[in-house]
Amino acid sequence: MKLILLTHVFATVFMTGLIWFVQIVHYPLFASVGREQFRTYEQLHQRLTTWVVGPVMLIELATAVLLLKFSPEKASGLIRIGLGLIGLIWVATATLSVPAHNSLAIDFTDAAYRKLVTTNWIRTIAWTARGMLVLVMTHRCMK
């Protein structure tokens, strides 16, 4: 149980830090790439980013499910809320972020770029809430 919890905390805190970096630094820099180079840049961004975030998102989901199955009763409510936030993150990723990235991989448009940056706040806020939840959950489990 402790290893599952610690792995879950790592995955969530990692993704929380990464999403803030993406929101504040990485996505704003997209506008500076230049239209001629942007298509290649975006395609590389998608391929390379998948190798970083994909495994960690899967670990976060898997450990959340395991925690729900094996958690002490005092943490189950927080785990359920956290799983709901994971659902929100995955849905926002699939329905908002991925389509915006796919559009940008074809051609940089201001509309697709604004959609990406604006809708990414959903994931940023959800992962921030998850980060706080896992810290509270960890504290409760340590008692």
Side-chain angles (χ1 to χ4, degrees), residues 34-89:
R35 291 193 187 270
E36 295 86 34
Q37 299 88 8
F38 192 82
R39 183 176 178 177
T40 302
Y41 178 84
E42 173 63 25
Q43 291 168 353
L44 287 168
H45 162 79
Q46 285 185 39
R47 187 176 46 192
L48 296 172
T49 299
T50 299
W51 287 103
V52 175
V53 302
V56 182
M57 286 178 70
L58 289 170
I59 289 167
E60 182 183 37
L61 176 60
T63 55
V65 170
L66 289 170
L67 284 173
L68 185 60
K69 184 174 180 174
F70 299 113
S71 70
E73 188 60 38
K74 58 188 170 187
S76 66
L78 293 176
I79 294 167
R80 289 179 198 283
I81 293 167
L83 270 167
L85 289 169
I86 289 174
L88 174 63
I89 290 164

Side-chain angles (χ1 to χ4, degrees), residues 3 39 44 89 94 96-97 108 111 122 137 142-143:
L3 180 59
R39 183 176 178 177
L44 287 168
I89 290 164
L96 300 169
S97 299
F108 182 92
I122 296 166
M137 186 175 60
M142 291 173 61
K143 287 183 179 182

Side-chain angles (χ1 to χ4, degrees), residues 6-44:
L6 290 175
T7 303
H8 185 69
V9 171
F10 168 78
T12 298
V13 171
F14 176 89
M15 289 305 301
T16 302
L18 182 61
I19 199 72
W20 275 101
F21 173 80
V22 166
Q23 185 68 28
I24 301 302
V25 177
H26 189 60
Y27 283 172
L29 289 174
F30 274 27
S32 300
V33 171
R35 291 193 187 270
E36 295 86 34
Q37 299 88 8
F38 192 82
R39 183 176 178 177
T40 302
Y41 178 84
E42 173 63 25
Q43 291 168 353
L44 287 168

